[in-house]
Amino acid sequence: MSLPRLLIDGDTLKLEEILQVARHAVKVELAPEAASRVRASRALVDRVAAGDTPSYGINTGFGTLAEVRIDKKDLRELQRNLILSHAAGVGSPLPLPEARALLLLRCNVLAKGFSGIRSETLELALEMLNRDVVPVVPERGSVGASGDLAPLAHLALVFIGEGEAFYQGERLPARVALERAGLQPVVLEAKEGLALVNGTQAMCAVGTLLQLRSEALADLADVAGAMTLEGLLGSHKPFIPEIHDVRAHPGQKACAAHLRRLLAGSDLVESHANCSKVQDPYSLRCMPQVHGSAREGLSFSRRILEVEVNSATDNPLVFVDSERIVSGGNFHGQPISLALDVAAMALTQLSAISERRVEQLVNPALSGLPPFLAKNSGLNSGFMIAQVTSAALVAESRVLSHPASVDSIPSSAGREDHVSMGMTAALKARQVSEFTRSCLAIELLVAAQALDYRQPVKAGRGPQAAYELIRSKVPTMEKDRELHRDIEAVSKLIDSGELLETVHAATRE
């Protein structure tokens, strides 16, 4: 079956389209207007390379070696040496989806026509995506100054037949991977090596995928909170529109509206309409305020990423209209670093309030339910350690929420004297998203047990749908068992998207 086509033009790429390419769900092609820009940009670079005027990165060295003039006969070797010397990354390879996103984003910035790349080099990159040749890119080694130099150099290694690549999931020497895919490496010409390694695409690749995951987790936090609220016989009144209209933060209003949709049709709320309880704890009552502020943070990080993935982040930039090749600083990752720090903090507050709701569920003094929701408690410990695990994940997330964007270690003999640590911010935020997913899986699991005690009275449409799906995979805990298996089962429902899809279907108006 042929894949749908995605045209790359350097200007209109959407975050959701990056996810499609990361999943190898579309075929990528260069838009005709982009191809014309690329050819024009390259023609200008060729004219400069043929002359005698020094131009950074074309016939000079790099960084603090920018004043060293390179002979014309050595220009190819200069570009090759740049890639080899900058491929100094360490650590685990980027997961395949992130590496595919990285390759796509590099193609997109080259398609803008400000890089001076040759058409055949860009076409090789696009065909690597289409034929499932994915470079092995170590995830550590970038300080986000001239962009993600080390990760991008590892990406570029494969273009010249060096390094390693995955072909259809198998890790191979790059030349072997290219050969199996029916592709040939290129010999880089003037400026091409520099065009491949300057930019913020590694931090954006990791950041885009965690952004989309984070937005789903924000929705899921509302579902988990709604389940807990129903299990604890909490009030729906704190979510009425009037409260949120008089403090009109968009994220708060969106969360409150989502909670109202989730909780609609609840029989449980009617079952305690005349109870003596006046107020719920903040972790229930203030969900719109806390979840809503996380949504605001994620809205900020989305806006920054949407701009960055369609931005020219090379150095120097090739301006065909004015026939100038100019050095600047668009490769600096500070906007992305700050945005992804905010995303990590937003996720951490979602996990922190989730853990407090789990405490409300398992503590009999707070819930009115059996200790740790265990049947025959004492003999059984129930969900005692589930709350401990959640607390451990929240504690580590708080450490990881220390911002990378305020840090800087000068490099390149002081030429790069302020750096963004953007890739550090991306990797930290990615880890926090993993922890947040696990915290929400724990809450969903524990809240389902609380709803068991409320049967046969049904929760609101959203919590009830989530409860029934969870119970189709994870039975009620009648006696102690290995909880990690249950947590993993719920985590799979989250990661696959099935849980949110099921809830959305049940609450669609």
Side-chain angles (χ1 to χ4, degrees):
M1 183 181 69
S2 62
L3 296 175
R5 183 177 67 159
L6 174 64
L7 283 179
I8 298 298
D9 62 10
D11 297 320
T12 60
L13 186 63
K14 296 179 174 58
L15 302 190
E16 289 75 13
E17 291 171 337
I18 297 170
L19 179 60
Q20 287 182 298
V21 175
R23 292 173 172 172
H24 203 191
V26 294
K27 181 181 180 182
V28 180
E29 295 180 9
L30 188 63
E33 63 273 20
S36 298
R37 292 196 301 266
V38 169
R39 288 192 296 269
S41 175
R42 182 63 206 178
L44 178 56
V45 170
D46 285 338
R47 289 199 299 274
V48 172
D52 296 322
T53 303
S55 183
Y56 175 69
I58 296 179
N59 51 21
T60 74
F62 309 105
T64 52
L65 302 176
E67 284 71 34
V68 178
R69 181 68 184 277
I70 308 299
D71 290 339
K72 290 179 184 178
K73 66 181 178 61
D74 295 324
L75 294 186
R76 284 184 173 180
E77 185 177 358
L78 172 70
Q79 301 303 312
R80 179 179 174 83
N81 287 347
L82 173 68
I83 302 304
L84 296 175
S85 66
H86 284 48
V90 298
S92 301
L94 289 175
L96 285 174
E98 291 179 355
R100 286 184 59 83
L102 169 56
L103 182 54
L104 169 70
L105 290 173
R106 198 63 218 165
C107 290
N108 196 55
V109 73
L110 296 174
K112 291 185 72 66
F114 297 106
S115 303
I117 201 83
R118 289 180 303 151
S119 297
E120 50 264 52
T121 305
L122 178 52
E123 287 296 337
L124 172 62
L126 292 168
E127 280 306 304
M128 285 167 57
L129 274 172
N130 292 332
R131 303 189 196 189
D132 203 19
V133 178
V134 184
V136 173
V137 179
E139 62 184 17
R140 302 195 182 275
S142 170
V143 296
S146 292
D148 295 311
L149 289 173
L152 286 168
H154 281 274
L155 188 84
L157 278 177
V158 180
F159 293 27
I160 62 174
E162 302 293 345
E164 294 182 292
F166 294 98
Y167 175 60
Q168 296 183 351
E170 182 182 359
R171 186 169 178 170
L172 299 165
R175 284 189 180 274
V176 176
L178 290 171
E179 183 179 348
R180 290 192 184 179
L183 298 171
Q184 293 291 325
V186 295
V187 176
L188 299 178
E189 300 288 350
K191 195 188 181 296
E192 287 198 290
L194 198 58
L196 292 173
V197 301
N198 266 302
T200 58
Q201 285 69 51
M203 63 183 85
C204 283
V206 177
T208 294
L209 298 191
L210 79 85
Q211 172 71 30
L212 295 172
R213 185 185 204 187
S214 300
E215 290 170 356
L217 291 175
D219 274 354
L220 193 74
D222 296 347
V223 175
M227 280 185 74
T228 297
L229 182 89
E230 293 284 72
L232 292 171
L233 303 180
S235 173
H236 296 192
K237 291 178 182 178
F239 315 132
I240 63 172
E242 294 91 328
I243 291 175
H244 308 286
D245 287 342
V246 296
R247 194 193 192 196
H249 293 297
Q252 177 177 329
K253 294 180 73 172
C255 176
H258 190 212
L259 286 167
R260 290 195 299 272
R261 289 195 303 273
L262 292 169
L263 294 166
S266 171
D267 294 329
L268 275 172
V269 73
E270 301 299 331
S271 71
H272 60 95
N274 298 313
C275 70
S276 59
K277 186 163 61 172
V278 177
Q279 290 184 328
D280 290 322
Y282 289 0
S283 59
L284 300 180
R285 192 184 352 150
C286 298
M287 282 190 284
Q289 291 78 8
V290 178
H291 293 192
S293 97
R295 285 174 178 262
E296 297 282 1
L298 294 175
S299 176
F300 167 69
S301 55
R302 169 176 272 271
R303 179 173 62 81
I304 297 298
L305 285 164
E306 286 176 335
V307 171
E308 189 74 4
V309 300
N310 289 299
S311 295
T313 56
D314 282 14
N315 186 55
L317 290 168
V318 179
F319 296 102
V320 173
D321 290 346
S322 59
E323 295 194 347
R324 292 197 300 171
I325 299 177
V326 187
S327 289
N330 278 3
F331 48 56
H332 200 292
Q334 200 67 37
I336 310 305
S337 186
L338 177 61
L340 297 181
D341 277 340
V342 170
M345 289 185 274
L347 290 167
T348 295
Q349 68 185 33
L350 291 178
S351 62
I353 195 171
S354 172
E355 183 276 328
R356 287 294 81 198
R357 291 193 295 261
V358 172
E359 169 67 10
Q360 292 286 331
L361 288 164
V362 300
N363 188 332
L366 302 174
S367 69
L369 294 167
F372 307 108
L373 303 181
K375 302 199 175 173
N376 196 7
S377 57
L379 177 63
N380 292 303
S381 295
F383 292 91
M384 177 189 296
I385 305 304
Q387 182 268 328
V388 173
T389 299
S390 185
L393 297 176
V394 170
E396 189 167 350
S397 293
R398 286 170 176 159
V399 173
L400 291 170
S401 289
H402 176 84
S405 57
V406 298
D407 194 12
S408 179
I409 299 178
S411 59
S412 193
R415 181 66 61 96
E416 298 169 5
D417 59 347
H418 181 279
V419 303
S420 73
M421 297 299 178
M423 191 61 172
T424 305
L427 295 173
K428 291 195 305 91
R430 182 225 277 164
Q431 184 61 73
V432 172
S433 76
E434 292 280 345
F435 291 161
T436 302
R437 185 278 314 269
S438 296
C439 285
L440 292 174
I442 288 169
E443 183 182 1
L444 289 161
L445 184 64
V446 179
Q449 186 83 358
L451 288 175
D452 287 332
Y453 286 102
R454 307 303 183 189
Q455 294 300 301
V457 184
K458 290 189 174 183
R461 287 195 291 267
Q464 187 66 29
Y467 167 77
E468 290 173 3
L469 178 61
I470 290 167
R471 280 290 166 259
S472 73
K473 306 293 183 181
V474 182
T476 300
M477 182 185 283
E478 301 291 347
K479 61 180 182 179
D480 285 347
R481 59 179 184 243
E482 295 178 54
L483 270 179
H484 68 94
R485 300 185 190 278
D486 294 353
I487 296 169
E488 182 61 26
V490 177
S491 296
K492 287 180 179 178
L493 291 175
I494 296 171
D495 290 343
S496 68
E498 184 179 359
L499 200 151
L500 269 183
E501 289 170 8
T502 298
V503 170
H504 288 162
T507 58
R508 198 169 287 124
E509 295 176 354

